[in-house]
């Protein structure tokens, strides 16, 4: 893929031989690889920044690091036109509602890259009362990029990892990705802002917890209970 | 500026004495050790505020915040810092105390409109009711949130212990994740008996109905189609992060606008009160994440102020601090101008020019502090490390060669050549542009009186013709010995704010040119005069430290009870308070201009929502 030229050898199916002298003109390949090859080189990210990491994401898109080299410079503000959501920053409880809604609005196939410590697992702000412990609590994440914030080089590495992941996905029915199966895949239920953030998938646990008739224990309370149970 | 006749007494002690005479029983000295200012009886708080504003010239309410003294008197206290603008000088600190159970304080919005958002924040986080506030709603959290999280008896889901270092982790080194001990596996905490079965959250329609926009969206059958409520954000390409505005429009003209924030509220202050004094330094990086060095500096000078004579900052450390602060100012203004053009529709090309220059400065930061953005460089009593002799980096290769440059030569070239050249380039490309002039001149007007009343600061205030710069009005570090001008422009529109930023970059270069010889002269001198320990104890008391950040006045209001952690850690965030006049500035403008007006205020959401 150097010099922006198409190298047919990249696509060549390993089991079907093509004579050496014809390899620059002819490739026998599968539909999956051809399709994925095109898709992985034209990922359109959602123009969407959350916090500090967004600044490094913009720096990655700028001239020095130049995201355009990977076919990703077309950042779209509308989720309807985007393939990739780069969750670039701390996900707060207030913000996770629009994020899940945006994710649902993205057409399939869609990917999520958790950029930085906060999006991956809460980061330095994890213990805060308004912070979600990583976006993967709500939506599936394909690539995690560590760092606080990750340097543009690290983000590029993560994006290349995503390209490699896309290249391995098969178009076959019943494949590992939901969008190549039959019928539409399910939407992620949008969280509700109640006394605290509520994941609708937790309705059953909530009912079970409500019977105990006490506020949800803090980590300190849970630890104290555990040590009490252990010593007994 | 108003031409009022001020009383003869202008120094702070005699002003306080005169005020005590004026309000014999209601104004008392704050006699607690390490505290300053006066405690005002809530009954005459409004009258007191009116008198100090109209008769004593304290026309600028910079900071308003609350403190929960649970276990130290068991009351809530609201602390006000009022300044004289533009003359400067020390602030008048006054406080009002109220009961924790039934917390009521008269609102000062009618006297200082700049108190608006700050009172809402105190209501949201502390549950203090400000009587007479026109729009007292939660601002950072959502309606329906359980509890007031900044109160000392509030326990978050991952609560382990009051202060760090936690016994479970130190010195044993045990690590566990909070999720493992939560029944839901999430960072959540619900009240007793709560289920989803009969719960009705606040709907979007109810939320919008509750706004002070004057549009009845639910009950008005004659709601004409040319009168609209438009939602901008929190996901919007122009909102500089996760900021949201509700705009009531007639056709294309803005009738009223209300900012909605809190989408990046990541509990800085609560975490800050659990942290050690040193532990807060890296968190300040993430406030205004474009200007981490300046944030570090403001926090360091505040704690140094509290430590009194215990730490003294060596001269070379001060020189390096100013070097970093001014380079940061340039990166911020470059970024801000680039993205203002984005908002005007010149998508990304001007920003590319700005970012390219910014990268040179970030390379220097990376070589010195180890990080491009989150520098965590200043220390209480100095800086973390001296400048390295050479800038070497394998991560950023130049044509596959490891970069290896002499630091002083690099700085020399940067300050004397690259920066002035790119500032001139931006000026040449943008300032006379027909489109920029017609979009920016006369749009988003903020007259000087209004800017002061709304507690605007930084380029927003100076763009309205008020020559108030903390580096001159209340000097810190080595700014008194440096030559530079306070840049102002008279008209208070978008164009003037843009010009102030351009001028300020030139002044920063002028300062940097004076810093270069000082750097050479002090080579090899110490850079740290603080304590070399893992943790420090700060004497009991309070302090308000503030610095002129690129976006405005960044203040830290810290309270210590003598321990290893702050009792109160409040950030007076310029991005947050500068948004107070946004609604007024947008009234009568076109909806497309709203985006540009927001861009000209230059906010960063990390600081707005904290």
């Amino acid at each position: 893929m150097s010099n922006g030229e198409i190298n047919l050898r990249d696509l060549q199916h390993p089991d079907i031989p093509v004579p050496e002298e014809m390899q620059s003109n002819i490739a026998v390949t599968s539909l999956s690889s051809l399709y994925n090859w095109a898709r992985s080189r034209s990922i359109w990210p959602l123009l969407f920044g959350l916090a500090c990491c967004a600044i490094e994401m913009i720096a990655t898109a700028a001239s020095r690091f130049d995201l355009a080299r990977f076919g990703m410079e077309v950042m779209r503000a509308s989720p309807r036109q985007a393939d990739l959501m780069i969750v670039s920053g701390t996900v707060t409880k207030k913000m996770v509602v629009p994020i899940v809604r945006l994710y649902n609005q993205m057409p399939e196939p869609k990917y999520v890259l958790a950029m930085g410590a906060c999006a991956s697992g809460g980061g330095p702000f994890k213990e805060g009362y308004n912070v979600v412990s990583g976006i993967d609590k709500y939506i599936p994440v394909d690539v995690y990029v560590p760092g606080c914030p990750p340097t543009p080089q690290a983000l590029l590495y993560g994006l290349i990892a995503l390209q490699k992941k896309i290249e391995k996905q098969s178009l076959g029915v019943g494949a590992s990705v939901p969008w190549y199966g039959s019928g539409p895949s399910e939407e992620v239920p949008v969280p509700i802002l109640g006394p605290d953030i509520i994941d609708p998938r937790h309705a059953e646990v909530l009912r079970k917890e409500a019977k105990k008739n006490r506020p949800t224990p803090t980590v300190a309370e849970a630890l104290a209970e555990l040590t009490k149970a252990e010593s007994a | 500026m108003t031409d009022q006749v001020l009383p003869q007494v202008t120094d702070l002690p005699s002003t306080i004495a005169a005020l005590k005479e004026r309000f014999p029983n209601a104004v008392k000295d704050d006699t607690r050790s390490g505290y300053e200012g006066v405690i005002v009886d809530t009954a005459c708080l409004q009258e007191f505020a009116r008198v100090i504003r109209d008769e004593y010239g304290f026309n600028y309410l910079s900071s308003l915040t609350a403190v929960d003294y649970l276990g130290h008197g068991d009351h809530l206290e609201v602390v006000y810092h009022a300044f004289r603008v533009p003359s400067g000088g020390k602030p008048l600190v006054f406080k009002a105390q109220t009961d924790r159970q039934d917390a009521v304080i008269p609102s000062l919005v009618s006297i200082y409109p700049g108190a608006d958002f700050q009172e809402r924040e105190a209501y949201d986080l502390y549950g203090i009711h400000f009587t007479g506030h026109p729009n007292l709603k939660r601002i950072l959290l959502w309606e329906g949130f359980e509890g007031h999280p900044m109160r000392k008896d509030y326990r978050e889901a991952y609560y382990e212990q009051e202060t760090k270092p936690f016994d479970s982790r130190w010195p044993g080194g045990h690590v566990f994740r909070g999720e493992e001990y939560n029944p839901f596996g999430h960072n959540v905490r619900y009240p007793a008996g709560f289920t989803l079965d009969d719960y009705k959250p606040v709907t979007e329609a109810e939320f919008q109905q509750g706004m002070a926009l004057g549009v009845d969206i639910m009950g008005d059958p004659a709601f004409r189609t040319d009168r609209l409520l438009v939602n901008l954000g929190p996901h919007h390409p122009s909102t500089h992060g996760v900021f949201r505005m509700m705009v009531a429009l007639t056709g294309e003209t803005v009738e009223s606008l209300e900012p909605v924030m809190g989408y990046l509220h990541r509990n800085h202050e609560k975490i800050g009160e659990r942290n050690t004094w040193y532990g807060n330094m890296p968190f300040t990086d993430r406030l205004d994440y474009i200007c981490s060095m300046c944030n570090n500096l403001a926090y360091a000078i505040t704690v140094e102020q509290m430590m009194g004579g215990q730490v003294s900052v060596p001269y070379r450390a001060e020189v390096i601090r100013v070097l970093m602060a001014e380079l940061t100012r340039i990166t911020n203004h470059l970024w801000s101008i680039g993205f203002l053009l984005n908002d005007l529709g010149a998508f990304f090309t001007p920003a590319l020019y700005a970012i390219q220059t910014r990268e040179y400065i970030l390379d220097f930061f990376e070589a010195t502090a180890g990080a491009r953005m989150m520098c965590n460089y200043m220390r209480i009593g100095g800086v973390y490390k001296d400048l390295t002799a050479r800038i070497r980096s394998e991560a950023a290769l130049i044509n596959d060669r490891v970069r290896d440059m002499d630091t002083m030569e690099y700085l020399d070239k940067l300050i004397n050549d690259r920066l002035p050249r790119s500032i001139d380039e931006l000026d040449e490309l943008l300032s006379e542009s027909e489109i920029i002039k017609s979009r920016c001149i006369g749009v988003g007007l903020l007259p000087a009186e209004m800017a002061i009343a709304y507690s605007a600061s930084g380029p927003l205030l100076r763009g309205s013709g008020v020559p108030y710069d903390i580096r001159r009005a209340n000097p810190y570090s080595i700014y008194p010995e440096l030559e530079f001008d306070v840049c102002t422009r008279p008209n208070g529109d978008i164009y003037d704010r843009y010009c102030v930023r351009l001028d300020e970059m030139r002044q920063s270069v002028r300062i940097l040119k004076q810093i270069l010889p000082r750097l050479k002269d002090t080579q090899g001198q110490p850079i740290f005069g603080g304590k070399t320990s893992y943790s420090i104890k700060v004497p009991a008391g309070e302090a308000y430290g503030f610095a002129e950040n690129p976006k405005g006045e960044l203040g830290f209001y810290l309270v210590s009870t003598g321990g290893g952690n702050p009792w109160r850690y409040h950030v007076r965030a310029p991005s947050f308070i500068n948004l107070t006049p946004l609604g007024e500035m947008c009234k009568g403008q076109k909806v497309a201009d709203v985006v540009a007006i927001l861009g000209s205020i230059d906010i960063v959401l990390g600081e707005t929502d904290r």
Side-chain angles (χ1 to χ4, degrees), chain A residues 45-121:
Chain A
L46 185 63
L47 180 57
F48 165 69
L50 287 180
C52 333
C53 287
I55 307 297
E56 284 298 58
M57 184 177 75
I58 296 166
T60 314
S63 43
R64 184 178 186 186
F65 298 99
D66 198 9
L67 208 48
R69 291 179 294 162
F70 306 92
M72 295 181 191
E73 79 281 17
V74 195
M75 291 217 176
R76 289 285 135 170
S78 163
R80 305 280 185 204
Q81 299 172 330
D83 306 307
L84 166 68
M85 178 190 264
I86 301 178
V87 184
S88 52
T90 315
V91 183
T92 63
K93 291 176 183 172
K94 206 170 171 179
M95 192 59 202
V96 76
V97 182
I99 292 179
V100 170
R101 209 172 280 152
L102 285 170
Y103 178 77
N104 286 338
Q105 286 171 355
M106 281 165 66
E108 291 180 324
K110 55 185 167 187
Y111 300 92
V112 178
L113 184 144
M115 179 181 182
C118 292
S120 304

Side-chain angles (χ1 to χ4, degrees), chain A residues 77 93-94 126 194 197 216, chain B residues 142 179 187 189-190 235 261:
Chain A
K93 291 176 183 172
K94 206 170 171 179
K126 182 175 179 178
I197 191 83
T216 314
Chain B
W142 60 90
E179 295 93 308
N187 181 9
R189 211 167 172 228
Y190 305 108
H235 166 71
M261 48 191 104

Side-chain angles (χ1 to χ4, degrees), chain B residues 76-391:
Chain B
L76 287 169
E77 187 171 288
V78 178
V79 187
Y80 305 84
H81 287 80
F83 287 85
R84 290 188 174 109
V85 167
S87 55
K90 292 274 169 259
L92 175 66
V93 189
F94 57 103
K95 294 152 195 175
Q97 295 178 340
T98 180
D99 193 48
R100 287 188 83 246
Q101 265 66 45
D102 183 26
V104 181
I105 298 253
S107 165
L108 292 191
V109 175
S110 55
I111 299 146
Y112 296 111
D116 186 351
F117 287 2
Q118 304 190 62
E119 284 184 355
R120 277 180 67 188
E121 184 190 309
Y123 163 72
D124 189 354
L125 303 181
Y126 282 93
I128 300 173
H129 291 266
F130 290 90
T131 46
H133 191 287
N135 188 22
L136 196 65
K137 289 183 306 192
R138 284 194 183 262
I139 188 165
L140 296 175
L141 294 157
W142 60 90
E143 292 296 333
F145 184 83
E146 174 84 3
H148 298 286
M150 282 305 289
R151 288 200 174 205
K152 285 286 176 185
D153 50 3
Y154 178 90
R155 299 270 157 93
E156 62 270 31
Y158 289 168
Y159 169 84
E160 269 190 69
Q161 212 176 316
E162 281 302 323
T163 52
K164 288 177 185 170
F166 295 149
D167 292 339
S168 62
R169 321 240 170 167
W170 189 87
H174 300 295
V175 176
F176 60 85
R177 303 184 308 141
E179 295 93 308
E180 293 163 14
Y181 295 96
N182 186 292
F184 300 92
H186 282 210
N187 181 9
V188 288
R189 211 167 172 228
Y190 305 108
F194 177 78
T195 63
L196 260 182
D197 300 335
D198 45 4
Y199 180 72
K200 281 200 177 56
V202 179
T203 63
E204 190 61 21
E206 282 163 353
F207 169 74
Q208 291 172 5
Q209 186 73 22
M211 302 193 111
L213 292 169
V215 182
D216 183 12
I217 60 152
M218 283 156 91
D220 188 0
F223 191 49
R224 300 206 322 264
T225 46
D226 56 351
R227 207 154 158 258
L228 302 169
L229 204 57
V230 172
N231 175 61
L232 291 166
H235 166 71
H236 188 275
S238 72
T239 45
H240 296 255
V242 285
F243 184 63
R244 179 177 175 190
M245 292 175 281
M246 294 299 301
V247 193
L249 297 176
T250 311
E252 266 201 74
T253 310
V254 176
E255 258 181 32
S256 52
L257 178 146
E258 189 172 323
V260 185
M261 48 191 104
Y263 291 95
L264 193 57
H265 177 48
R266 40 189 186 181
N267 330 126
H268 241 101
E269 297 186 0
K270 190 75 181 176
I271 295 173
E273 286 172 18
R274 301 228 188 280
N275 272 344
T276 59
W277 294 97
Y278 284 156
N280 273 330
M281 189 62 83
F283 280 89
T284 62
D285 284 338
R286 288 153 182 85
L287 277 170
D288 172 358
Y289 31 75
I290 297 172
C291 317
S292 61
M293 289 283 194
C294 290
N295 304 341
N296 286 178
L297 177 57
Y299 179 66
I301 58 177
T302 314
V303 182
E304 280 157 14
Q305 196 179 318
M306 294 185 92
M307 301 282 286
Q310 293 184 43
V311 288
S312 63
V313 186
Y315 186 72
R316 181 166 172 84
E318 295 282 22
V319 173
I320 296 177
R321 280 177 173 191
V322 173
L323 167 79
M324 296 304 185
E326 293 308 319
L327 283 173
T328 305
R329 198 178 310 280
I330 294 173
T331 58
N332 177 78
H333 287 351
L334 281 170
W335 190 270
S336 141
I337 288 175
F339 281 81
L340 173 67
L341 268 291
N342 246 15
D343 294 343
L344 289 172
F347 188 71
F348 222 44
T349 308
L352 282 178
Y353 277 74
I355 294 170
Q356 197 172 17
T357 313
R358 177 176 175 263
E359 288 288 338
Y360 287 113
I361 299 173
L362 294 196
D363 275 356
F364 170 64
F365 286 173
E366 190 175 19
T368 315
R372 283 158 53 84
M373 277 171 67
M374 304 307 176
C375 301
N376 185 17
Y377 182 63
M378 313 268 174
R379 292 291 180 270
I380 294 148
V383 296
Y384 151 65
K385 218 175 168 187
D386 207 336
L387 309 186
T388 49
R390 299 191 77 77
I391 295 180

Side-chain angles (χ1 to χ4, degrees), chain B residues 436-512:
Chain B
I436 290 171
K437 280 182 143 176
S438 53
R439 283 290 307 272
C440 294
I441 292 178
V443 177
L445 283 174
L446 183 69
E449 293 78 24
M450 210 164 109
I452 294 173
Y454 275 100
S455 309
S457 58
L460 183 63
L461 182 65
R462 290 190 288 275
S464 296
V466 184
Y468 182 74
D469 185 320
I470 294 160
R471 291 173 294 173
R472 281 280 181 256
N474 257 311
Y476 52 96
S477 200
I478 55 163
Y479 284 110
E481 61 175 71
L482 298 169
E483 273 176 37
F484 66 96
D485 297 329
V486 175
C487 313
T488 57
R489 293 274 169 158
N491 300 322
D493 54 12
I494 300 178
Y495 191 75
D496 276 14
R497 274 165 231 144
Y498 156 80
C499 291
V500 163
R501 294 209 170 89
L502 212 54
D503 295 345
E504 273 185 16
M505 283 200 279
R506 294 212 165 97
Q507 293 302 324
S508 289
V509 170
R510 190 170 153 201
I511 294 174
L512 289 169

